[in-house]
Amino acid sequence: MKSGIKVKNKLSQAQFIAVGFLIIVMISTVLLMFPFASKEGTYTPFLDCLFTSVSATCVTGLVVVDTFTHWSLGGQIIILTLIQIGGLGFITIGVIFSMLLRQRIGLKFRGLMQESVNSLKISGIVKLTKKIIKGTLIIEGTGAFILGIRFSVYFKNAAKGFYYGLWHSVSAFCNAGFDLMGVEEQYASLTGFAGDFVVNIVIMALIIIGGIGFVVWDDISRNKLKFKKYSLHTKIVLVTTAFLIVVPAVLFYIVEYDNTMAGMNVGERVLASAFSSVTARTAGFNTVDTGALTGASKMLTIMLMFIGGSPGSTAGGIKTTTIFVLLVNLFAGIRNGAGGSVFRRRFEEDAIKKASTVFILNLMLAVTAVFAVLAFNGLPFEDVAFEVFSAIGTVGMSTGLTRSLNTVSRILMFSGRIGSLSFAMSIMKTKKRAPVYYPDEKISIG
């Protein structure tokens, strides 16, 4: 018993969370390998199960087998459970059980909860977590109900319709991108619903709400629609999110007008453009053929996938706040200003340092992974880059390349995905030392 406590105490909060996810991934991988998890009743290869488990737990959405046609009901439920755990974080799930068992939540566990949801402070973290759980149930439940009615009409089967409604509501809210539309056509995602107003609006709303972050929810719930009262974090997230939805949607409309959107009416084109903009920032669904996108649209999608959602959300990527801080600091540098400031507030120095680290680290991982995959496969650069950025940003959008990658390249894909987490763990493990300042010396920049 004592040794277990010592091991836990030796781990930092980030390391403890990472180890917890690793345990969940390995258990679910073993479960998916059993015959009951596949429709054919046969064993699924270890690497395919591992890839699926990692993809679901990290809410990435990239698949090597079609979710509907390969996995049985049991396998689908395992995957959906992993998506929910990945979206909320297993620490949050642990809080649910603690509350059900009426156990006291100690200070160390509160620290883990703060790390898990990216809260700015530890005070009120239990209250915030309860609000997250309640909000998640309400939002996913509402989405499941609306989608359930629509799918019940579509499939002419209420039980099937509501099961599909629940599945896609959870997957959309958690920004996972897994779908069961292989019932129509393998790997089709939501292309069969490109002109469906209800499905498009509900899925987009779930993606956006899940992607803005739990801390932002809390701020909005306390201050309602009074923008001036919001924290700087919330203001940045909302403004950046709005910009990254509207501007790319307009660009998609222009670039894809006579390509993937050819033959659609104006309303369908508007829906498809908005959906392409929203889903690219880590959701992973698609209503137009991703593989048929123009080079410009693929480049735009890669940029959106790289940015991703917001801190403390169900989304991945480098985060909206990271890109916002870097751009504000860039413009301050161009104007030769003293530092980045916005909404009558200045960023703390650590914010700029952290943003630069996250940006460069993820870019280096992506470039390295693209190079490595190209080295092991004779594949087009454009498609490899798209797939790698999708994996690192936990998006799940695919041109179909992941299914054709060899074993080495698939391993590189998960390595790229977990690389930033490993790097963070190594930093957390380093002991802080007293700063030593050496003499300054000028160098030429640019």
Side-chain angles (χ1 to χ4, degrees):
M1 186 73 178
K2 287 183 179 179
S3 60
I5 294 170
K6 285 181 180 178
V7 170
K8 181 180 174 181
N9 288 339
K10 285 180 181 178
L11 296 176
S12 69
Q13 292 172 353
Q15 289 172 328
F16 184 76
I17 291 169
V19 170
F21 270 107
L22 180 62
I23 292 169
I24 290 168
V25 164
M26 295 315 298
I27 291 171
S28 57
T29 298
V30 172
L31 289 174
L32 288 174
M33 288 176 67
F34 284 111
F36 81 89
S38 70
K39 282 192 173 174
E40 294 182 359
T42 56
Y43 286 97
T44 303
F46 171 76
L47 190 60
D48 288 350
C49 294
L50 178 62
F51 195 101
T52 302
S53 183
V54 171
S55 185
T57 310
C58 294
V59 289
T60 302
L62 287 172
V63 295
V64 289
V65 292
D66 183 73
T67 307
F68 173 80
T69 55
H70 180 82
W71 302 109
S72 65
L73 179 62
Q76 291 170 16
I77 290 172
I78 291 171
I79 292 169
L80 190 63
T81 303
L82 291 174
I83 290 170
Q84 188 70 86
I85 292 171
L88 289 179
F90 84 96
I91 296 297
T92 306
I93 304 297
V95 173
I96 296 174
F97 286 106
S98 295
M99 289 191 300
L100 290 173
L101 296 172
R102 299 184 181 277
Q103 291 182 346
R104 185 177 174 276
I105 298 172
L107 185 61
K108 286 186 179 180
F109 200 75
R110 289 170 193 254
L112 288 170
M113 290 159 61
Q114 181 191 11
E115 185 81 25
S116 181
V117 302
N118 259 28
S119 175
L120 300 174
K121 55 185 180 180
I122 197 168
S123 60
I125 192 66
V126 175
K127 187 178 179 181
L128 173 61
T129 306
K130 289 178 181 179
K131 191 177 286 187
I132 289 168
I133 296 165
K134 183 179 177 181
T136 298
L137 289 173
I138 293 171
I139 294 164
E140 288 183 348
T142 303
F145 180 74
I146 298 171
L147 290 174
I149 293 173
R150 178 66 191 94
F151 289 143
S152 293
V153 173
Y154 182 82
F155 291 115
K156 298 178 181 178
N157 184 316
K160 184 176 182 179
F162 279 97
Y163 173 64
Y164 272 58
L166 174 63
W167 175 281
H168 292 90
S169 178
V170 172
S171 185
F173 176 77
C174 292
N175 280 225
F178 279 83
D179 67 88
L180 298 179
M181 292 307 167
V183 66
E184 300 287 306
E185 181 186 347
Q186 284 195 17
Y187 310 108
S189 191
L190 297 175
T191 52
F193 296 88
D196 193 301
F197 182 82
V198 174
V199 172
N200 276 261
I201 295 299
V202 173
I203 294 290
M204 282 193 288
L206 289 166
I207 292 168
I208 294 167
I209 294 169
I212 62 174
F214 303 128
V215 174
V216 175
W217 288 12
D218 184 51
D219 201 359
I220 293 173
S221 68
R222 284 186 288 104
N223 296 300
K224 310 305 177 189
L225 298 177
K226 297 173 184 176
F227 188 81
K228 288 184 179 179
K229 289 190 175 182
Y230 294 159
S231 67
L232 179 61
H233 174 85
T234 299
K235 289 176 181 177
I236 290 172
V237 166
L238 294 179
V239 169
T240 309
T241 299
F243 179 86
L244 290 174
I245 291 172
V246 175
V247 175
V250 172
L251 295 175
F252 277 123
Y253 187 92
I254 294 168
V255 177
E256 293 298 318
Y257 190 91
D258 288 324
N259 186 41
T260 56
M261 299 177 194
M264 294 182 179
N265 59 40
V266 175
E268 289 172 340
R269 282 189 171 106
V270 170
L271 274 180
S273 301
F275 197 93
S276 296
S277 177
V278 170
T279 194
R281 288 190 308 109
T282 86
F285 295 106
N286 59 285
T287 55
V288 297
D289 183 3
T290 305
L293 291 172
T294 62
S297 291
K298 285 181 180 177
M299 187 66 228
L300 178 58
T301 303
I302 286 172
M303 289 191 290
L304 291 172
M305 291 192 296
F306 186 65
I307 295 169
S310 302
S313 72
T314 60
I318 64 169
K319 305 296 188 289
T320 52
T321 49
T322 300
I323 199 69
F324 187 94
V325 167
L326 290 176
L327 288 175
V328 168
N329 194 53
L330 170 66
F331 290 125
I334 291 170
R335 295 195 311 270
N336 201 24
S341 60
V342 67
F343 299 119
R344 298 184 178 181
R345 293 288 186 275
R346 278 187 79 244
F347 302 131
E348 56 183 357
E349 286 186 24
D350 276 358
I352 297 169
K353 190 186 296 183
K354 288 174 184 175
S356 302
T357 302
V358 169
F359 181 87
I360 294 170
L361 171 64
N362 279 273
L363 187 60
M364 286 173 62
L365 284 169
V367 170
T368 303
V370 169
F371 177 82
V373 173
L374 287 171
F376 286 102
N377 298 268
L379 297 168
F381 168 78
E382 186 180 83
D383 290 341
V384 170
F386 190 98
E387 219 80 3
V388 167
F389 275 90
S390 179
I392 288 176
T394 71
V395 182
M397 295 187 76
S398 175
T399 58
L401 198 66
T402 299
R403 300 185 295 275
S404 63
L405 291 175
N406 60 28
T407 300
V408 174
S409 298
R410 287 182 185 178
I411 291 169
L412 286 166
M413 293 281 278
F414 341 107
S415 299
R417 172 63 194 99
I418 64 173
S420 57
L421 182 58
S422 300
F423 181 80
M425 286 173 63
S426 67
I427 290 176
M428 293 291 287
K429 193 175 180 180
T430 304
K431 292 182 179 179
K432 291 184 179 180
R433 297 178 180 178
V436 176
Y437 297 100
Y438 294 102
D440 293 335
E441 185 172 343
K442 290 184 177 181
I443 60 170
S444 296
I445 300 291

